[in-house]
Amino acid sequence: KDELLTATNLARCRFVIKELMARDRINATELAKRIQLPQPTIHRLLTGKTEDPKLSTLTLIAEYFSVSLDQLLGHVPIRNQDD
């Protein structure tokens, strides 16, 4: 069984995505547009309505923000650009 996306990991992932969006000053609609995903997909992920997001969705988000999947899932800290 894939333990990559436990409820705790998903909560952490939502937090990380929101932090990255705040860092880049974009909202969910803008993120969806930039990575060419339906806005409801991003909204459901960020509100916790999706309990099993597709790996392809998370990969697109990670690639957009130039972070690894481990960073997106909160396993590895994201270094600030200023550090």
Side-chain angles (χ1 to χ4, degrees), residues 16-77:
V16 170
I17 294 170
K18 288 175 184 177
E19 289 287 301
L20 290 167
M21 287 174 21
R23 180 193 76 184
D24 287 10
R25 294 180 176 86
I26 61 171
N27 60 23
T29 303
E30 185 60 28
L31 176 61
K33 238 185 269 181
R34 291 184 185 189
I35 62 175
Q36 299 179 337
L37 280 178
Q39 192 273 338
T41 300
I42 300 297
H43 182 74
R44 284 193 301 269
L45 175 61
L46 293 176
T47 56
K49 288 190 171 71
T50 297
E51 293 177 15
D52 58 344
K54 291 182 180 168
L55 189 56
S56 57
T57 299
L58 296 178
T59 301
L60 279 171
I61 294 169
E63 286 174 355
Y64 173 76
F65 288 115
S66 301
V67 299
S68 69
L69 274 177
D70 277 339
Q71 289 173 310
L72 194 71
L73 293 172
H75 299 308
V76 177

